[in-house]
Amino acid sequence: MAYRVYAMDFSFYNSMGIYSFEARCEMLKEIGYDAMHLSIWHGERWRDAAKLSSVKQKYGLDVASVYVVLDLSLGENHPRNEGILKLLGSLEGCSTVELAIQSVGRNIRPSDPAGDDIAVKWLEKALKICERRNINILLYTHLSFWIERHEDALRLCRRLNHPNLGIVFCGFHWYAVDGTNLPAILGAVAPYLKQVNLSGSRRNPHGFGDIATIEPLDEGELDNFALLGQLKKIGFNGMIGFQGWSEGGDAYSKLSRSLRAFRDMERRLEAHPHWAELNLLP
């Protein structure tokens, strides 16, 4: 089975600016992607959200998801956080929202369960909207954010046990935060796993967060072939995206490289699934 793929729109950012919404969609369609993605952040790109409803008709692409950042240290009723609820109530052309929870309080550190009650209170309110509108919230792990580890997302999913709440597995953030115990982590999150994003990466003090780089899939030390093998082993059949943050440069060229590399990984896994079975020691 060939996975359906999308590119996160971070791939279209560079030091000179951001490619237009229209150019992004046209490039993705021409390269051969199945879907596009939109980062709205704290609400900075609302105008582009209104364009999502016409993406399928205009470009022949699906919309994989939109990405938003929740910061409850600002207060539950802060306009940024209220804006996410408004988005859930008005979003058209997309049924998936990736939610990165940056903070739940000024004195609560990443992964601290002391923030669970605060996050759950907001999520319960958001999920009531999702029920009415058939929208899924996927918790997005992120280096240095309160939801930093996939175990944090899993803890909330288990507590809320809501059909509209799931998890995105973020290959880079798993690698940068820990990078170990992949089979156990994927096995644990499997019941809630709805999407995956991947990137090439290598440990480097000049990388993102002074920890690791984000690169096209044909670069780096992170073994995405083995990672993909583990995803197949747990039966994951959702959409897979490519991260692209901070890659910069010619987006078309790098997205083409990533897609070619990914399809070649699929080909090899189909023919030789045992190649992806790694041992911890030589």
Side-chain angles (χ1 to χ4, degrees):
M1 179 201 77
Y3 282 100
R4 300 182 71 240
V5 295
Y6 67 99
M8 300 185 74
D9 74 349
F10 307 149
S11 303
F12 294 100
Y13 297 15
N14 64 40
S15 59
M16 297 167 64
I18 301 174
Y19 286 88
S20 72
F21 184 94
E22 293 74 18
R24 283 177 262 152
C25 291
E26 290 168 6
M27 287 186 198
L28 291 174
K29 182 63 177 177
E30 183 170 299
I31 296 168
Y33 283 80
D34 299 294
M36 60 88 69
H37 164 279
L38 177 66
S39 55
I40 295 179
W41 301 99
H42 301 94
E44 289 87 341
R45 300 174 68 189
W46 290 117
R47 285 181 296 178
D48 281 347
K51 301 176 182 178
L52 295 176
S53 61
S54 62
V55 165
K56 185 71 170 180
Q57 181 181 2
K58 283 187 176 181
Y59 306 104
L61 294 169
D62 290 324
V63 181
S65 49
V66 298
Y67 171 85
V68 295
V69 179
L70 178 69
D71 186 353
L72 291 171
S73 71
L74 301 173
E76 182 180 344
N77 299 318
H78 189 279
R80 288 182 176 179
N81 299 329
E82 285 291 313
I84 296 174
L85 297 178
K86 291 177 182 176
L87 172 72
L88 294 173
S90 61
L91 186 62
E92 299 290 345
C94 177
S95 60
T96 301
V97 173
E98 300 172 345
L99 180 70
I101 304 182
Q102 183 173 0
S103 174
V104 290
R106 298 188 184 281
N107 298 313
I108 301 177
R109 297 184 60 79
S111 299
D112 188 346
D116 286 8
D117 288 347
I118 300 169
V120 164
K121 180 182 177 184
W122 189 91
L123 283 167
E124 286 176 336
K125 183 162 57 173
L127 287 166
K128 287 180 181 178
I129 302 172
C130 292
E131 288 173 10
R132 295 197 307 268
R133 306 210 64 242
N134 195 27
I135 290 174
N136 292 319
I137 292 176
L138 305 185
L139 299 175
Y140 188 105
T141 59
H142 192 292
L143 176 68
S144 81
F145 279 21
W146 179 67
I147 292 189
E148 186 176 52
R149 296 171 174 269
H150 293 90
E151 293 90 336
D152 305 328
L154 181 61
R155 195 172 65 243
L156 293 177
C157 283
R158 284 174 170 167
R159 175 168 167 179
L160 284 158
N161 192 29
H162 195 287
N164 294 88
L165 183 66
I167 294 174
V168 184
F169 179 81
C170 306
F172 167 78
H173 292 289
W174 161 77
Y175 177 73
V177 171
D178 189 319
T180 64
N181 205 24
L182 180 64
I185 290 171
L186 287 178
V189 302
Y192 306 99
L193 187 60
K194 305 300 182 186
Q195 276 186 184
V196 169
N197 65 62
L198 304 176
S199 67
S201 185
R202 72 189 78 218
R203 304 283 178 182
N204 189 309
H206 301 294
F208 183 81
D210 302 327
I211 293 177
T213 60
I214 298 173
E215 305 180 41
L217 291 187
D218 59 356
E219 295 285 346
E221 185 275 338
L222 170 56
D223 188 346
N224 282 295
F225 175 77
L227 200 166
L228 187 59
Q230 289 297 323
L231 288 171
K232 284 186 173 289
K233 185 173 286 190
I234 65 168
F236 176 74
N237 60 7
M239 203 176 291
I240 294 182
F242 308 143
Q243 230 253 23
W245 177 259
S246 78
E247 286 182 14
D250 178 355
Y252 187 103
S253 173
K254 292 186 176 181
L255 287 168
S256 297
R257 284 169 48 193
S258 285
L259 184 56
R260 284 195 301 271
F262 182 77
R263 294 302 186 206
D264 186 61
M265 291 178 202
E266 288 185 306
R267 178 193 61 78
R268 284 180 277 138
L269 276 171
E270 185 69 24
H272 311 284
H274 63 285
W275 284 4
E277 296 172 7
L278 302 185
N279 297 314
L280 291 178
L281 296 173

